[in-house]
Amino acid sequence: MSFRQSIRDGFLGRAFAMIGAANAVTATLESGRRPRQRDLRELGIDPAMFGRNGH
């Protein structure tokens, strides 16, 4: 495995992916739109349950 691939697939890659997903979700919510399912899954949020109020 190359150094570049190990960074992309390892901790740093996951960290950057999570930061990117968090930024994308925040931006879409602030603009009043629904976030992409891929970004929600990256953050550990079930897209089917997103936006439902359980109370």
Side-chain angles (χ1 to χ4, degrees):
M1 180 183 301
S2 71
F3 179 70
R4 230 180 243 185
Q5 185 179 5
S6 68
I7 287 178
R8 186 186 72 228
D9 294 341
F11 173 77
L12 289 177
R14 294 277 304 143
F16 283 122
M18 187 159 290
I19 290 169
N23 285 336
V25 169
T26 300
T28 56
L29 289 175
E30 286 179 349
S31 66
R33 294 178 287 139
R34 182 174 172 84
R36 291 187 303 186
Q37 290 185 5
R38 185 184 82 198
D39 292 330
L40 292 172
R41 272 191 243 104
E42 182 69 36
L43 296 174
I45 301 169
D46 181 9
M49 298 301 291
F50 182 78
R52 290 187 181 178
N53 190 353
H55 300 290

